[in-house]
Amino acid sequence: MKNIVLFGPPGAGKGTQSERLIEKYKLIHLSTGDILRAERKAGTTLGKKANEYIEKGELVPDEVVIGMVANKINENLNAIGFIFDGFPRTTAQGEALDEMLNKLGHPITKMIALEVDEDELTKRLLLRGETSGRADDQDEATIRNRFKVYNNETLPLKDYYDAQGKYLGVNGMNRIETVFGDLCKILD
Ligand code: AMP
């Protein structure tokens, strides 16, 4: 199994690159943001609860997302591998993911971070907000809070994976095609 964590701040291009990578490498795209938005759209209790956090740019509690990820992994045990997009976002999530994958005998292969500066991220998110309908991409205060949460709660995962010798950075400021090429070189 090839299990990749695609890491980076909101707007770094994780979703865009994941779409391309799953097509080329036949991996399963596991985006916790996508799952949460689908739950919200379906009007489930989980979706409604999660929306209270999403609309403020806060993180949904660990136990909720960890449970969702465990379900998705268990539904796809014969997969070639997973691209984890937007998960893990806290050290507790990283530890839970390691535990799940180690039990299966298929630990994380690499954690690849898309590196993009905050001015560019803000521009991209506001632009995406014009067409995505995502409220959390339309409000600058929410965007700023998402960066704050990312820096405080998510960024420590860089050291977490670095300590395992799994961290790699890619320049996410480049064109989509160039970034994709860089990711493919790593995955190949
Ligand atoms: P994303 O689509 O990855 O930008 O996620 C959108 C929102 O969903 C985030 O701002 C969080 O509120 C929530 N979310 C997505 N993934 C996670 C996660 N792994 N842990 C906690 N909250 C998450």
Side-chain angles (χ1 to χ4, degrees), residues 1 3 30 69-79 81-82 84 96-108:
M1 252 183 173
N3 287 321
L30 204 164
V69 168
N71 288 341
K72 182 91 176 177
I73 292 176
N74 287 326
E75 287 163 10
N76 293 283
L77 289 176
N78 294 323
F82 292 88
F84 296 95
L97 181 63
D98 274 354
E99 202 185 313
M100 288 185 249
L101 294 178
N102 288 340
K103 246 188 227 159
L104 295 175
H106 300 293
I108 289 296

Side-chain angles (χ1 to χ4, degrees), residues 77-90:
L77 289 176
N78 294 323
I80 295 175
F82 292 88
I83 303 246
F84 296 95
D85 160 8
F87 181 91
R89 257 178 159 99
T90 63

Side-chain angles (χ1 to χ4, degrees), residues 10 14 31-34 36-37 50 53-54 57-62 65 85-89 93 128 134 136 146:
K14 302 187 294 295
S31 157
T32 41
D34 284 354
L36 290 167
R37 281 184 289 276
Y53 297 92
I54 295 174
E58 297 290 337
L59 293 184
V60 173
D62 284 337
V65 278
D85 160 8
F87 181 91
R89 257 178 159 99
Q93 291 179 18
R128 183 170 78 185
R134 280 182 59 170
D136 60 344
R146 287 161 72 197

